[in-house]
Amino acid sequence: MEFYSRACFGAVLADAATYLYLPIQRTIDTMNTPTHQISIPAILAASVAVMLLGGVWFAVLFARQYAAVLGRADAPKTAMPPLYFVGPSLCMLVTAIGCAILMAALRVGSLAEAVRFGAIVGVCLLGTTAMNMAINPNIPRPIAYGVLSGGYFLLSSLVISTTLFLLS
C-alpha cells in the first residue's frame, strides 16, 4: 500500500523504476523539488529540438504515411492554419517542462539514467496516450496512426530527456 499512498507523481515514477530494476531511484523530497537544477535554456532547447523533429517526422519522413493513416492520402494539399504549428509546439514545451521537473525530482544523474527516463516516459506515457487517442472512429487506421505518432513521441521523449541532461 505504500506504493499507492505517495502523493507525488515523481515518487510513484521512482518507485515504478525501482520495481523495474532501473537505477534511477533517489531520495526524493516531494515537498521541495530541487528547482535549482531546472535549466530554462535546456527546456527551450529541448522544446525547439522536438518541434523541429515533429516537422521533419510528419512533413518530410512520414508525410505520405501520415496522410494515409488519417485517410487523407488523396486530399489536396492545403496550407495549414497556425494552430497546427503553435498548438503542438506549446504542448511539447509543457512536456519538456514536466520532464525537467521530474528529472530534477528523481535526481537523474547520468546520461544512461536520462535515456532510461526518456524511454519510460516515451513508452509508458506519451506513446500509450498516442495509441489511446488513435483508437477512435475518426481515425481510419488507428493502429498505424498510433505506431506512427507513438514512434515520434518515444523519440521526442528521448531527445527531451537527453537534451535536458546534457544542457542542465
Side-chain angles (χ1 to χ4, degrees):
M1 295 310 285
E2 179 185 340
F3 179 78
Y4 294 104
S5 66
R6 296 195 183 182
C8 177
F9 174 75
V12 172
L13 186 60
D15 282 347
T18 299
Y19 293 124
L20 294 171
Y21 302 103
L22 297 175
I24 65 172
Q25 175 69 31
R26 301 282 188 260
T27 304
I28 297 173
D29 179 357
T30 58
M31 300 305 289
N32 189 15
T33 300
T35 54
H36 65 279
Q37 295 177 357
I38 297 173
S39 166
I40 300 300
I43 290 170
L44 295 175
S47 298
V48 169
V50 294
M51 290 172 203
L52 294 173
L53 174 64
V56 171
W57 187 274
F58 292 107
V60 178
L61 295 177
F62 299 106
R64 286 186 299 119
Q65 296 88 338
Y66 190 58
V69 300
L70 291 173
R72 297 183 179 150
D74 298 325
K77 305 290 186 232
T78 59
M80 302 295 284
L83 174 66
Y84 292 93
F85 300 100
V86 175
S89 297
L90 290 175
C91 289
M92 294 315 288
L93 174 63
V94 171
T95 300
I97 292 168
C99 286
I101 292 168
L102 287 174
M103 288 175 67
L106 293 169
R107 291 171 174 57
V108 172
S110 71
L111 183 57
E113 290 175 358
V115 170
R116 285 188 198 104
F117 174 85
I120 290 170
V121 170
V123 172
C124 299
L125 300 175
L126 301 176
T128 56
T129 299
M131 185 63 76
N132 186 47
M133 291 178 63
I135 301 172
N136 76 65
N138 295 317
I139 305 291
R141 298 182 55 206
I143 302 301
Y145 177 88
V147 169
L148 182 64
S149 293
Y152 162 72
F153 285 116
L154 170 59
L155 187 56
S156 69
S157 182
L158 292 168
V159 167
I160 288 170
S161 63
T162 55
T163 302
L164 290 172
F165 176 77
L166 293 173
L167 298 181
S168 292

